[in-house]
Amino acid sequence: QSDCPHLENGLKSWHWKSTWGSAGKPTANSDVTIPENTRVHLSTNVRQGVITIPASSELIIGSKTGSSISLEASGIKVYGKLTIGSETCQIRDEITITLTGSRAGMSDDPWYKGIYVTGIIEVHGFGFSPTWTRLAAPVLKGDNVIYLQVDARSLPAPLPLLPFLTHA
């Protein structure tokens, strides 16, 4: 992997008091705005109200240690950039974004229990291939066709040979 956004120099940690200036580090369930002209790295679990990413800022999610990350928010407004991985750095971490709150009496704001985007969201995760596939029908000695429950074109190529099918 190369060009991993969450490993770049110059990022400010979500958890540093200095990242937030005079506003102070965000408290749980509070609305939070990423500081202007700032690239903030989120590497552990947080629970917030509405998260706002200004046009000049970026929120980068990813772990340096391969741990799972949970972001809970009542909404996210992306005017700048929300980044998880890159084309050359597919994230293998388990990253969960949960939108919280009740739909009863829901606000008309498009970011309430949603992600409102006028900027950029870039998400690059590692594509896991199945390690096994279910057969759609029994395979008997002498069969020259195997029926799968998934379209074989969706499986990684080349498909492994199944030598046991020709053995007695």
Side-chain angles (χ1 to χ4, degrees), residues 16-138:
W16 294 344
K17 186 176 180 182
S18 62
T19 298
W20 306 102
S22 61
K25 185 178 166 188
T27 57
N29 299 311
S30 65
D31 291 348
V32 61
T33 299
I34 304 292
E36 294 280 343
N37 302 305
T38 304
R39 298 178 73 218
V40 175
H41 175 221
L42 177 64
S43 61
T44 59
N45 302 339
V46 296
R47 182 181 180 107
Q48 301 300 145
V50 174
I51 297 172
T52 303
I53 305 168
S56 63
S57 300
E58 181 177 7
L59 177 59
I60 300 165
I61 303 174
S63 169
K64 295 178 182 178
T65 61
S67 59
S68 62
I69 301 169
S70 174
L71 167 60
E72 294 184 32
S74 58
I76 302 173
K77 297 189 279 186
V78 183
Y79 300 111
K81 190 171 182 184
L82 173 61
T83 303
I84 303 172
S86 70
E87 287 186 35
T88 57
C89 181
Q90 290 88 19
I91 293 293
R92 295 173 185 254
D93 304 337
E94 179 181 328
I95 296 176
T96 304
I97 297 175
T98 305
L99 301 170
T100 61
S102 170
R103 288 215 180 259
M106 187 172 85
S107 168
D108 289 332
D109 295 331
W111 53 83
Y112 181 80
K113 204 163 183 175
I115 301 176
Y116 177 77
V117 181
T118 61
I120 298 168
I121 292 182
E122 193 168 335
V123 179
H124 298 274
F126 181 76
F128 291 95
S129 298
T131 56
W132 57 274
T133 302
R134 291 180 182 244
L135 298 175

